[in-house]
Amino acid sequence: CEQWKQWYQRRVRGVLNYYTNYYYKSNLSLAMQIFVQGTSTHAMSVAPETKVEEIRKRICTLEQIAIDDLYFHYAGVPLEDDITIMSIPDLSTIVASGKLLGGKVHGSLARAGKVKGQTPKVAAMEDKKKKKTGRCKRRIQYNRRFSTAVSAFGRKKGPNSNSD
């Protein structure tokens, strides 16, 4: 029984080694597919050992752009020419962009905030008390007319009279 176990383990190890070697050997020679997004999107099949410089040359001929004016970015990071594609995952999109020249900013930054600076400061208004409405107004009216009113002889006083 022990011999059978050892034979089985050797057999499994051999099969695993065979498949892993086959996978790694074939994976190096298999082409990866990379998408390059420029003025249009190009799908390219490249070997993992391919350098970015070779892809850049291919795109330059397709897009008819000078090689010095084309820059590659992957995930927001510029790609150097000596990097191999093996460091980029399969089916990834590389963005090809042209050289951006620095230039004059439209308008002067010295005048930024000009309108806000020359607008006069207006003092904040004092808060007026809001008029009561609805049920609350009716309650105050009732209290004024009936519950706290003292019946006096003579002429009825108005709500704005100051005389006692």
Side-chain angles (χ1 to χ4, degrees), residues 54-66 70:
E54 296 171 30
I55 297 174
R56 208 166 119 191
K57 287 177 184 174
R58 279 196 224 170
I59 295 298
C60 284
T61 55
L62 290 172
E63 299 270 340
Q64 297 173 350
I65 299 174
L70 191 67

Side-chain angles (χ1 to χ4, degrees), residues 93-150:
T93 301
I94 297 174
V95 178
S97 61
K99 187 175 183 180
L100 298 175
L101 299 174
K104 185 177 178 184
V105 177
H106 183 70
S108 172
L109 293 177
R111 290 191 303 265
K114 172 187 155 213
V115 173
K116 186 178 180 186
Q118 65 187 178
T119 307
K121 180 82 172 159
V122 178
M125 292 180 59
E126 290 183 29
D127 292 333
K128 281 188 176 179
K129 212 148 195 196
K130 198 168 81 171
K131 281 188 174 182
K132 308 245 183 206
T133 60
R135 186 189 60 81
C136 184
K137 183 178 178 183
R138 296 289 176 213
R139 185 176 143 254
I140 292 169
Q141 247 180 13
Y142 175 81
N143 288 339
R144 194 180 306 128
R145 288 181 184 170
F146 302 109
S147 61
T148 58
V150 178

Side-chain angles (χ1 to χ4, degrees), residues 9-164:
Q9 286 176 347
R10 278 195 310 259
R11 176 83 174 133
V12 169
R13 242 186 265 130
V15 169
L16 285 176
N17 285 339
Y18 171 77
Y19 281 116
T20 53
N21 288 339
Y22 174 77
Y23 173 75
Y24 285 119
K25 285 179 186 173
S26 63
N27 200 15
L28 289 177
S29 63
L30 283 178
M32 295 172 56
Q33 191 163 21
I34 299 290
F35 298 100
V36 181
Q37 181 182 3
T39 54
S40 60
T41 303
H42 304 281
M44 304 180 80
S45 294
V46 291
E49 307 88 35
T50 307
K51 295 198 179 242
V52 173
E53 185 178 13
E54 296 171 30
I55 297 174
R56 208 166 119 191
K57 287 177 184 174
R58 279 196 224 170
I59 295 298
C60 284
T61 55
L62 290 172
E63 299 270 340
Q64 297 173 350
I65 299 174
I67 201 162
D68 296 333
D69 294 339
L70 191 67
Y71 293 97
F72 281 165
H73 298 274
Y74 174 70
V77 179
L79 295 176
E80 300 295 327
D81 284 341
D82 57 340
I83 295 175
T84 60
I85 296 299
M86 194 180 302
S87 60
I88 297 172
D90 194 16
L91 300 174
S92 296
T93 301
I94 297 174
V95 178
S97 61
K99 187 175 183 180
L100 298 175
L101 299 174
K104 185 177 178 184
V105 177
H106 183 70
S108 172
L109 293 177
R111 290 191 303 265
K114 172 187 155 213
V115 173
K116 186 178 180 186
Q118 65 187 178
T119 307
K121 180 82 172 159
V122 178
M125 292 180 59
E126 290 183 29
D127 292 333
K128 281 188 176 179
K129 212 148 195 196
K130 198 168 81 171
K131 281 188 174 182
K132 308 245 183 206
T133 60
R135 186 189 60 81
C136 184
K137 183 178 178 183
R138 296 289 176 213
R139 185 176 143 254
I140 292 169
Q141 247 180 13
Y142 175 81
N143 288 339
R144 194 180 306 128
R145 288 181 184 170
F146 302 109
S147 61
T148 58
V150 178
S151 60
F153 296 105
R155 191 170 168 221
K156 183 178 173 186
K157 294 179 188 176
N160 292 331
S161 65
N162 291 330
S163 61
D164 289 325

